[in-house]
Amino acid sequence: MQKILVVDDEDRIRDIIKQYLEFEGFSFCEATDGIMAVNTVKNQSIDLVLMDVMMPNCDGITALRKIREFSDIPVILLTAKGEEYDKIFGFDLGADDYVVKPFSPRELMSRIKAVLKRVEKPQPVQDIIYTFETLQVNPSSYEVKIDGEKVTMTPKEFELLTYFIENKSKVITRDTILNKIWGYDFYGDSRTVDTHIKMLRSNLGRYRELIKTIWGVGYKYEEY
């Protein structure tokens, strides 16, 4: 049974999430601030952390930063803030997903299942290396190089890039990307995709134009 750590200073929120998690067959443990969360991850076997950002003593962002110093455990952030900057900041620190309050418990369960399913997937074993000019993408090692230098990317950015390359010249909608990369149905928040595309383009540098925006539809990877 997979164990979910729920970190939130509001008893009501923790109780609601607990009910849904137990109904879905998950084991549950809880913490009321970031300090407790970090210690729990260190001392218990946890499969996923669901953590609020705004908490007393130690907020979720600080706790996430500390957790990433010793663990790559999946982390989903909960927050009342929905601005793009907050999402980018959380993703930069290694968050796996981002849910804005108030949220649908059913959607939250779907996202938890999707993240757990994704991290259980084995890495590709093929030795194929995608190459365009000085850009190299290695699916088996999750490495991207430009001019022979390794480019730092989050796992989600890499999966996006690989998915685009595998579907070269095809226009892909945002809801399709959410379903294929995040693993859950489209709920109307396309900003998750847009935020990751912006981060991916930034890391691609002069190759950012390989990912083209098709206004009103989605995106397309096309080599020039």
Side-chain angles (χ1 to χ4, degrees):
M1 182 180 294
Q2 293 172 303
K3 182 184 288 188
I4 311 298
L5 170 62
V6 179
V7 189
D8 198 300
D9 60 315
E10 295 186 44
D11 295 342
R12 181 180 60 87
I13 297 294
R14 296 198 310 276
D15 289 343
I16 291 173
I17 296 174
K18 177 182 179 181
Q19 292 177 27
Y20 276 85
L21 285 173
E22 292 181 340
F23 180 79
E24 294 289 345
F26 293 106
S27 177
F28 169 90
C29 64
E30 60 187 338
T32 57
D33 61 38
I35 296 174
M36 291 180 62
V38 174
N39 289 333
T40 301
V41 173
K42 283 183 177 179
N43 297 315
Q44 295 189 35
S45 177
I46 305 295
D47 294 289
L48 181 144
V49 178
L50 181 64
M51 183 159 54
D52 189 27
V53 170
M54 302 300 292
M55 295 183 294
N57 300 326
C58 177
D59 62 83
I61 293 296
T62 301
L64 173 60
R65 184 182 292 111
K66 291 182 178 296
I67 288 172
R68 283 292 174 259
E69 292 176 358
F70 64 89
S71 174
D72 60 356
I73 184 173
V75 175
I76 299 176
L77 293 178
L78 286 174
T79 181
K81 295 182 178 180
E83 290 81 3
E84 184 179 58
Y85 172 80
D86 298 308
K87 288 191 174 185
I88 292 175
F89 192 50
F91 288 136
D92 279 344
L93 291 176
D96 293 85
D97 206 346
Y98 192 108
V99 180
V100 178
K101 293 181 179 179
F103 55 83
S104 160
R106 292 180 62 187
E107 176 185 347
L108 182 60
M109 294 302 108
S110 294
R111 294 196 179 209
I112 288 172
K113 292 176 183 177
V115 170
L116 288 171
K117 181 179 179 181
R118 186 176 68 244
V119 299
E120 288 175 355
K121 291 179 181 178
Q123 290 188 351
V125 297
Q126 68 269 28
D127 293 323
I128 297 173
I129 298 179
Y130 301 112
T131 302
F132 175 71
E133 295 183 350
T134 64
L135 172 67
Q136 292 185 334
V137 181
N138 190 332
S140 64
S141 63
Y142 266 55
E143 284 188 345
V144 177
K145 292 183 179 180
I146 296 177
D147 298 328
E149 297 293 327
K150 186 175 179 180
V151 178
T152 300
M153 287 188 181
T154 65
K156 189 63 72 266
E157 291 172 55
F158 183 87
E159 290 168 17
L160 268 172
L161 178 58
T162 304
Y163 182 64
F164 277 127
I165 292 173
E166 291 173 347
N167 293 274
K168 184 169 60 176
S169 300
K170 295 180 181 179
V171 178
I172 308 173
T173 62
R174 290 175 175 84
D175 52 334
T176 298
I177 294 172
L178 270 175
N179 185 268
K180 295 295 184 181
I181 303 300
W182 276 263
Y184 50 78
D185 292 332
F186 183 58
Y187 286 93
D189 186 6
S190 62
R191 291 175 298 177
T192 296
V193 174
D194 296 336
T195 297
H196 277 82
I197 295 295
K198 178 179 287 188
M199 296 162 58
L200 175 58
R201 282 173 168 163
S202 177
N203 286 324
L204 286 174
R206 68 175 183 273
Y207 292 110
R208 62 182 293 115
E209 297 302 324
L210 290 172
I211 301 175
K212 303 184 183 302
T213 300
I214 309 301
W215 296 107
V217 181
Y219 297 95
K220 176 174 69 172
Y221 176 92
E222 192 165 57
E223 296 175 352
Y224 43 79

